[in-house]
Amino acid sequence: TREQFAYMISEIWPNTPHPSLRRRTPLQAAQAGDGETFLRGSVRQMEALHDEPAKILDWNGLRSKLHLSPEPAIDPATVDIDQLHLSRLGMVPIDGLDDDRLLALYRQSTKWGLRRIRNQAGRVIEQRPSLMLRGQIEPITLYGELALEAAQEDDRAMAEHWLTRGRQAESPQKRSAHALAWEMIGLEVRMLLDEPDEWVPVLAVILGRCRGNQEAT
């Protein structure tokens, strides 16, 4: 629960010895004044685990406890995405990025498996359609991930919206070539939203069709 997580981070973690701090606790390292880089990165990484971190914990209160200043704001007009620490990528004001920085954020978050940030960037890229071509981003990749994220959040309408938008964004040739892949993404969405007795028959149909195609070749 949120309460348990908040307690672990605010009370247990600061008093737990850590190998990277020479077996000292975060509070001991903070008092010694020689663990700022590790402590700052650790707090930011924990904060970045949540979409709405302020509802979990008073993060600046935790920083104060560890003798850390608040994280400085990021200027979207000047930020160097490729040089920014991964723990701070989630602090980037995505809507304020120009096209080059937005694509850089999408690439960087994809490279490091930061799905939430990648999808946040993807939603902004979707509003600037020329960037998908420029960034060589396949619609099935961008929209498929957005559909799965919506399904994980139990938002069926939004998941179906992204699936539809993704198919519409492809050329007829690509849509035909990706037909099976779109079906599998749609199946994954159903697996997240529905009970097995609803999606297992769909899986059986897809597998049967694939088996038939293999036998015909």
Side-chain angles (χ1 to χ4, degrees), residues 72-187:
I74 294 174
D75 183 354
T78 60
V79 61
D80 185 341
I81 297 294
D82 292 331
Q83 296 301 314
L84 194 64
H85 192 282
L86 294 181
S87 68
R88 285 174 54 78
L89 285 180
M91 297 180 65
V92 175
I94 296 177
D95 289 335
L97 295 175
D98 60 25
D99 291 351
D100 289 336
R101 288 181 172 84
L102 179 58
L103 287 175
L105 180 63
Y106 186 85
R107 287 193 298 267
Q108 191 78 330
S109 55
T110 298
K111 175 182 177 180
W112 295 104
L114 305 174
R115 297 183 63 184
R116 180 173 61 83
I117 300 172
R118 179 199 60 202
N119 287 341
Q120 288 174 339
R123 282 189 285 272
V124 179
I125 290 173
E126 197 267 341
Q127 298 170 14
R128 309 179 194 179
S130 64
L131 286 190
M132 294 184 64
L133 180 61
R134 177 177 163 189
Q136 298 181 321
I137 302 170
E138 291 284 352
I140 194 168
T141 300
L142 188 147
Y143 290 101
E145 288 294 341
L146 291 177
L148 290 172
E149 180 183 66
Q152 289 168 346
E153 295 173 354
D154 203 28
D155 191 338
R156 184 186 301 273
M158 187 55 69
E160 293 175 351
H161 166 76
W162 290 128
L163 289 174
T164 300
R165 287 285 296 117
R167 291 189 178 96
Q168 291 173 342
E170 289 194 318
S171 66
Q173 294 83 358
K174 283 282 185 73
R175 199 177 309 145
S176 176
H178 292 159
L180 178 59
W182 280 116
E183 280 194 272
M184 293 305 297
I185 294 172
L187 176 63

Side-chain angles (χ1 to χ4, degrees), residues 201-216:
V202 178
L203 174 60
V205 170
I206 295 174
L207 293 177
R209 189 163 61 249
C210 291
R211 194 178 302 115
N213 291 339
Q214 289 177 339
E215 292 173 352

